[in-house]
Amino acid sequence: MAVVFALVFAALVLFATERLPVDVTAIGVMVTLLLVEPVTEVAADAGLLGSPIYVLHRAGDGVSPVSVGLSGFSSTATITVLAMFVLSAGVQRTGVVQILGSKIAGLTGDSEFRQLGATVGIVGPISGFINNTAAVAILLPMITDLARENGVSPSKLLLPLSYASMFGGTLTLIGTSTNILASELSGRLAVEDPARYGALGEFSMFEFTQLGVVVLVIGSVYLMTVGRWLTPERIEPETDLTEEFGMAEYLTEVVVREDSPLTGQTVREAIEETDVDVDLVQLIRGDETFLEPLGPKTIRQGDVFAVRTDRDTLVNLMDTEGLDLLPDVQVDESELEVAGEGSQNLVEVVVSPGSSLVGESLATATFRQRYDATVLALRRGDEVMRQRMDHVRLRVGDTLLVQATNASVNRLNDNPDFIVAQEVHRPNFRESRIPVAVGIVGLVVAAAALTPIHIAVAALAGALGMILTGCLRPPEIYEAVQWDVIFLLAGVIPLGVALEATGGAALIADGIVAVAPALPPLLVLGMMYVVTALLTNIISNNASVVLMIPVAAEAAVQLGANPFAFVLAVTFAASTAFMTPVGYQTNLFVYGPGGYRFTDYLRVGAPLQAIFAVVTTLGIAFFWGLTP
């Protein structure tokens, strides 16, 4: 137990500080448990299995510690979440969400209130049936463009977009990976000890929909009233991205003089292979304008370059490299999109969860060469970096102001490492497959809700259906899966097994029960929600579910209360983390594009978290009762 508590503490610290990616931390936890043989032996001897598959082992000499340690990979929750990512991608590839969003957005005009209502009204219901993280990724470009086109700050809409997706995730079992994981943990407890946890079991598709509807309605009303007033306008409503990122002092145009030593050199030789903090954004030669890749271009007398640099570096370049500053030239978005002939060359690009660039810098990732694109600025929350960005380690949610050709922008838009925060024309939407993709999701929901087919089987069959019907191509299924979430689940599930098997969960529950007799059961239930919510705002939502559900179930049994009510409180608290940008993936999605400060999440999210603590607790007591 001491070893497991030490491991839990270390994992919490690493999850909170993010010194390592959360999925790497989770795998480290799993490996440590496998290496600590006494702990895994206790779990194996107790028969605490992460999947029904391991019941087969019990017919022999027992379950091997390795099987228990690796049970997260065969967990029905892990498999179901993986399949749901594929289902969400199949719907996304048809463009149905974008089409629906555009039609509704067209009715909002320039009213911020109507735009906010459309944002909340679209993402909430959609998030109940496709993964809410995917819903935010799909809708973020549309909402950003909607705000800019109508003179509204994106900051006023993007935080509500994230929050409303969490409301919607509570509507059904498949709304979020947290629900699916909680369902499996609840079912496992019921199988292992039916005498104690007979009231538990895996959740049905619409097990808690009635409470989810209450959460969605109350949360939406909050966002449209108090939340609207509290949400700050961090980004001024600009239509020009160079103004939004404050690039006026960092973008200019220079011309190559006749006596310049750069004449005859390639751009790569002249600039890119030096340590000078300057980017050549585009080359204007006569009537032609060139974008990346500029490296192979040979510099000629009279060439005009748009450059990104600071004033001191520019002065030094002009003195040493034979360049003249072009007077009365303002380098703005329209100037930088001259080469595009009406297409979009200047875009915001958000680093998505699971991106291969997380932990890398622009230099080590060879961003310019790999994507034929130039990064003009980097925004992290409300901080904007406009110089010396090449060696900054990238994080999830970082927003890059990128200048690139139309073809490069399309490649970035197709790359799961990024979310392009402006709508990009996608001619490859499979609109003819819209009825098929929507029908497959409907069949998955119906099969799981109305037949004995397990949700994991239904979801896998639906994922296969997406391939066979042409909604997805086979290589796209691997791009669709957020592998960091899959490895996070696989890594933390054994930690919950070990915490329970060694008696750690019971010990924590004993501490809760020791003070609980002096408190009404309703207040203890609310306390369970608050503790889980606070934990989730610091660490991963899935990790908090794994740690708290065994504790909540044990505490309920010892109190003589309804274990299902306590498990549900933990599930809802872990699915709705509003107070920090790291509390939920969707909060990180909007952190950069909205220009938010860390404290903005506390300012808007803390009152909402307090309201939900009351609403969820009372709702559970009303719908399911507190007695077994």
Side-chain angles (χ1 to χ4, degrees):
M1 192 190 301
V3 171
V4 172
F5 276 138
L7 188 56
V8 167
F9 177 77
L12 291 178
V13 171
L14 289 173
F15 281 136
T17 60
E18 293 192 25
R19 296 295 298 271
L20 294 171
V22 290
D23 52 324
V24 175
T25 297
I27 294 299
V29 167
M30 181 188 70
V31 171
T32 304
L33 285 172
L34 286 168
L35 293 175
V36 182
E37 187 175 353
V39 176
T40 50
E41 280 185 351
V42 170
D45 292 341
L48 297 174
L49 312 176
S51 163
I53 291 174
Y54 290 116
V55 173
L56 298 176
H57 290 271
R58 299 185 68 183
D61 295 330
V63 183
S64 75
V66 173
S67 296
V68 176
L70 297 177
S71 60
F73 284 104
S74 64
S75 158
T76 55
T78 305
I79 301 301
T80 304
V81 170
L82 186 150
M84 291 308 303
F85 281 136
V86 177
L87 285 172
S88 297
V91 174
Q92 181 179 354
R93 292 282 179 175
T94 67
V96 62
V97 178
Q98 288 86 341
I99 293 170
L100 175 64
S102 297
K103 289 186 180 299
I104 295 177
L107 304 175
T108 63
D110 58 358
S111 166
E112 179 194 312
F113 183 79
R114 289 201 299 270
Q115 289 177 25
L116 181 59
T119 299
V120 174
I122 295 169
V123 75
I126 287 175
S127 296
F129 296 94
I130 68 171
N131 183 273
N132 58 356
T133 303
V136 171
I138 295 169
L139 291 171
L140 189 149
M142 185 202 76
I143 300 302
T144 302
D145 278 354
L146 177 66
R148 288 202 175 94
E149 289 169 4
N150 294 284
V152 173
S153 169
S155 309
K156 300 294 286 186
L157 302 180
L158 291 180
L159 196 58
L161 174 70
S162 174
Y163 287 176
S165 75
M166 287 186 253
F167 306 160
T170 65
L171 290 173
T172 68
L173 173 63
I174 61 175
T176 170
S177 62
T178 311
N179 298 345
I180 296 170
L181 178 58
S183 174
E184 179 182 295
L185 295 171
S186 176
R188 194 192 71 209
L189 288 172
V191 169
E192 290 164 0
D193 196 343
R196 291 174 65 80
Y197 304 118
L200 296 179
E202 292 192 356
F203 304 153
S204 65
M205 179 61 67
F206 301 107
E207 186 84 56
F208 41 76
T209 298
Q210 61 268 53
L211 181 57
V213 170
V214 172
V215 165
L216 177 61
V217 170
I218 291 179
S220 299
V221 170
Y222 172 87
L223 292 179
M224 298 294 294
T225 54
V226 178
R228 183 185 175 204
W229 175 66
L230 290 175
T231 303
E233 188 177 290
R234 293 297 178 200
I235 295 178
E236 294 295 325
E238 304 282 0
T239 57
D240 191 304
L241 284 172
T242 59
E243 292 181 17
E244 181 180 308
F245 278 79
M247 298 299 298
E249 296 183 6
Y250 296 88
L251 288 173
T252 190
E253 287 186 355
V254 295
V255 61
V256 180
R257 294 201 307 259
E258 182 179 0
D259 60 346
S260 172
L262 300 178
T263 304
Q265 297 184 46
T266 65
V267 171
R268 183 175 293 110
E269 292 169 341
I271 300 294
E272 292 186 2
E273 294 181 356
T274 70
D275 292 330
V276 179
D277 181 35
V278 61
D279 285 316
L280 300 185
V281 179
Q282 67 182 19
L283 164 63
I284 303 171
R285 181 175 288 166
D287 295 332
E288 293 186 277
T289 303
F290 302 95
L291 302 179
E292 288 289 348
L294 294 177
K297 299 287 185 186
T298 301
I299 299 174
R300 303 177 187 174
Q301 172 193 342
D303 282 350
V304 175
F305 286 99
V307 299
R308 181 220 52 87
T309 191
D310 61 275
R311 190 179 303 276
D312 292 340
T313 303
L314 180 62
V315 170
N316 291 334
L317 285 173
M318 291 170 61
D319 289 341
T320 60
E321 305 296 349
L323 304 173
D324 284 334
L325 182 68
L326 287 180
D328 303 322
V329 173
Q330 181 178 3
V331 181
D332 55 17
E333 186 169 345
S334 60
E335 176 71 14
L336 292 176
E337 295 196 337
V338 168
E341 300 180 353
S343 62
Q344 201 161 14
N345 301 129
L346 194 66
V347 293
E348 290 175 281
V349 175
V350 183
V351 179
S352 64
S355 171
S356 61
L357 271 72
V358 174
E360 297 278 356
S361 67
L362 296 173
T364 59
T366 58
F367 185 92
R368 181 197 297 269
Q369 294 80 7
R370 186 187 301 182
Y371 303 106
D372 288 335
T374 303
V375 176
L376 305 182
L378 187 157
R379 183 165 59 211
R380 178 174 292 163
D382 65 331
E383 178 188 6
V384 180
M385 308 173 204
R386 306 176 188 88
Q387 54 185 342
R388 307 203 179 279
M389 301 166 287
D390 283 353
H391 300 290
V392 175
R393 297 291 177 183
L394 297 175
R395 303 176 186 171
V396 174
D398 282 352
T399 302
L400 311 176
L401 180 62
V402 170
Q403 162 80 350
T405 63
N406 190 46
S408 293
V409 171
N410 284 331
R411 285 201 303 273
L412 289 169
N413 193 46
D414 290 333
N415 192 325
D417 285 344
F418 309 104
I419 301 168
V420 176
Q422 284 78 40
E423 284 199 277
V424 177
H425 178 59
R426 289 282 299 267
N428 57 343
F429 277 140
R430 296 157 196 159
E431 295 184 18
S432 64
R433 293 288 185 271
I434 288 177
V436 178
V438 174
I440 288 172
V441 173
L443 286 173
V444 169
V445 172
L450 304 175
T451 74
I453 298 175
H454 193 278
I455 178 60
V457 178
L460 281 174
L464 180 62
M466 289 290 185
I467 302 295
L468 297 179
T469 58
C471 297
L472 280 177
R473 299 188 180 99
E476 292 172 345
I477 63 175
Y478 302 102
E479 297 175 0
V481 177
Q482 292 182 21
W483 292 104
D484 58 327
V485 175
I486 299 303
F487 279 93
L488 171 63
L489 291 174
V492 298
I493 285 173
L495 182 59
V497 172
L499 186 66
E500 184 186 347
T502 58
L507 182 64
I508 298 172
D510 288 343
I512 295 173
V513 172
V515 298
L519 303 173
L522 185 66
L523 194 57
V524 179
L525 182 70
M527 183 175 66
M528 198 63 65
Y529 177 97
V530 170
V531 170
T532 306
L534 292 175
L535 189 63
T536 304
N537 276 286
I538 299 172
I539 67 170
S540 159
N541 52 329
N542 290 318
S544 64
V545 159
V546 166
L547 295 175
M548 290 301 298
I549 278 186
V551 173
E554 179 67 24
V557 169
Q558 293 191 31
L559 287 170
N562 181 4
F564 180 78
F566 278 64
V567 166
L568 208 55
V570 168
T571 303
F572 269 68
S575 298
T576 50
F578 308 115
M579 297 192 295
T580 67
V582 298
Y584 208 84
Q585 283 189 335
T586 57
N587 287 347
L588 278 176
F589 272 11
V590 302
Y591 188 43
Y596 298 113
R597 297 174 183 168
F598 194 96
T599 53
D600 292 337
Y601 290 83
L602 195 61
R603 172 183 175 183
V604 184
L608 182 59
Q609 200 87 66
I611 291 171
F612 273 18
V614 175
V615 168
T616 303
T617 303
L618 293 178
I620 291 172
F622 177 78
F623 289 120
W624 293 280
L626 297 183
T627 55

